[in-house]
Amino acid sequence: MRIEAIGCEPLLLARFNLENSRLLETYRRHGGYEALRKALTTMSPEDVINEVKKSALRGRGGAGFPTGTKWSFVPKDSPKPKYVVCNADESEPGTFKDRYLMERDPHMLIEGMLIAAYALGAHTAYCYTRGEYKYLIDIMDQAIEEARAAGLVGERIFGTDFSCEVYTHTGAGAYICGEETALLNSLEGLRGHPRMKPPFPAVAGLYGCPTVVNNVETLCAVPWIIMHGGDAYRGLGTEKSGGTKLWSVSGHVKYPGVYELPMGYDDMERFIMEDCGGIPNGRKLKAVIPGGSSVYIMSADDIIGKDVRMDYEGLVAAGSMVGSGGFIVMDDTVDIFESTKNLIEFYKHESCGWCTPCREGTDWLVKAFKRIARGEGRPEDAQLLLDLCDNIEGKSFCPLGDAAAWPIQSAIKRFPEDFKRHLVPLVERERAVA
């Protein structure tokens, strides 16, 4: 497992290889909590929000919404308590960057949460972690206790009037709780169902109060922005996508791992073939899912010789999305029909059942894929799968329905031969072989 910054100085990975990197002593010895001190003693909450706006930091959990803009939606004059919630429910297949941030550098996340709380006028912050990451709760709890003992969490931080408590909370391992409103329901002790929007969480979130929900990686970027300035952070990336991005690389590459790249890294082919060591065993690149399983799959023809830029605009132009940065590489041994079948079984299992298009649609998709896999495929089944996707996409309460439809739509479009092989009855395939 390689952990490395490519094309930039490490920001988020800067302390990963230090001995005892998760301890407060190590974090403070390398400048930790100085950004919080700067914010509390020299900046107003509005100053903090403005720096984050200038940075062009966008949500790293998948949506890519501008973070400073999201913070500015919280009403300043609300009489209700305000909350900051860290979304550490890293459930997207192929994505594992947040896990390493919490495991190796938990104080960076705590500092980012505290700065966000100060900017928003919140005095309580929660870190919500998926059930399978229970061991990370122990790491986070230890770090929070270290920070509290040092006067960095709790009352009158750095001797100022700002006080904030930080708590952890673990879910039960439901993928749907990665959606911010389902997460808030779970945090309140309810079933993890998404809420209808509006109202949005910034106005009516946790306990009906103004709430900002940000991803782990997003919040971890905040201390650097405050310490060095929003303009400096924007300068590391592009005009619309500032800073650096972590990519969780898995699959058929020589060096899987977590890579930190500047936003706008200008050649996906070079990233795969050189930075990640290329495709092992003399095989050829066949496909890449660049942003976790819920984004459009890309073929080798979409990448080789195309100078695909790795940022939000660049990947949309290339026919996919940044998503959560779960970068899954597949060589020419992979049957895209089978890999897509595996994904839709995951989405069917993880559908919360709240809305009909997702609940029934994913079930019908699984039934169709299983029938085809049994050798009962028909030439018209490709269109059937696309029609089912059309009845799900854009019609569910939350993006899980879209996440189930997009991989299928793009797989059929970009790898038709892998589907055609299955879309004839088994007896005809056996006759053709004979």
Side-chain angles (χ1 to χ4, degrees), residues 189-352:
L190 306 173
R191 292 190 67 177
H193 287 158
R195 301 175 183 177
M196 292 295 288
K197 294 182 284 190
F200 292 91
V203 176
L206 186 64
Y207 310 123
C209 299
T211 305
V212 162
V213 183
N214 283 135
N215 169 259
V216 171
E217 185 185 351
T218 310
L219 289 164
C220 284
V222 170
W224 197 97
I225 292 169
I226 298 306
M227 205 65 211
H228 299 275
D231 290 332
Y233 187 82
R234 183 193 291 263
L236 298 172
T238 69
E239 184 66 20
K240 294 182 178 180
S241 302
T244 63
K245 174 80 184 79
L246 296 184
W247 300 85
S248 311
V249 181
S250 62
H252 296 131
V253 291
K254 187 175 182 180
Y255 304 121
V258 178
Y259 290 82
E260 184 171 10
L261 304 181
M263 273 294 188
Y265 189 85
D266 61 359
D267 194 339
M268 183 186 289
E269 180 184 357
R270 184 173 77 243
F271 177 59
I272 297 167
M273 299 303 183
E274 297 180 20
D275 302 329
C276 298
I279 313 301
N281 306 317
R283 307 305 309 191
K284 294 182 179 179
L285 176 68
K286 181 172 183 175
V288 173
I289 303 176
S293 65
S294 59
V295 307
Y296 300 119
I297 190 171
M298 301 175 70
S299 69
D301 290 341
D302 298 321
I303 299 165
I304 303 299
K306 298 295 174 62
D307 295 333
V308 176
R309 200 176 77 240
M310 295 175 66
D311 63 9
Y312 294 97
E313 291 73 29
L315 279 177
V316 168
S320 191
M321 293 178 285
V322 167
S324 60
F327 200 89
I328 306 169
V329 181
M330 291 174 268
D331 69 17
D332 55 2
T333 65
V334 175
D335 182 338
I336 300 300
F337 170 84
E338 292 291 345
S339 64
T340 308
K341 173 177 173 289
N342 185 52
L343 288 181
I344 190 55
E345 288 175 342
F346 168 81
Y347 285 113
K348 186 259 183 182
H349 179 269
E350 293 296 336
S351 174
C352 74

Side-chain angles (χ1 to χ4, degrees), residues 32-109:
Y33 289 104
E34 289 306 306
L36 177 61
R37 184 197 300 272
K38 177 182 177 181
L40 296 186
T41 59
T42 70
M43 302 172 72
S44 69
E46 291 76 16
D47 292 336
V48 174
I49 293 174
N50 286 335
E51 284 302 318
V52 175
K53 281 184 176 180
K54 285 194 292 184
S55 73
L57 172 66
R58 295 169 66 171
R60 303 298 198 234
F65 192 81
T67 304
T69 302
K70 188 175 190 178
W71 289 8
S72 69
F73 290 158
V74 172
K76 296 179 177 60
D77 56 353
S78 174
K80 298 180 179 179
K82 301 179 179 71
Y83 296 97
V84 168
V85 177
C86 173
N87 184 347
D89 191 80
E90 189 176 44
S91 305
E92 182 77 2
T95 309
F96 45 88
K97 60 184 175 63
D98 293 346
R99 162 188 149 195
Y100 281 99
L101 289 168
M102 290 184 286
E103 186 178 277
R104 302 283 186 93
D105 207 346
H107 284 283
M108 179 168 56
L109 174 57

Side-chain angles (χ1 to χ4, degrees), residues 397-429:
F397 281 165
C398 82
L400 194 150
D402 295 343
W406 289 341
I408 298 172
Q409 293 167 335
S410 56
I412 292 174
K413 174 184 176 182
R414 289 173 172 151
F415 300 93
E417 294 304 318
D418 283 31
F419 282 79
K420 286 178 182 177
R421 280 198 300 271
H422 294 270
L423 297 183
V424 292
L426 183 60
V427 64
E428 291 186 22
R429 277 187 279 160

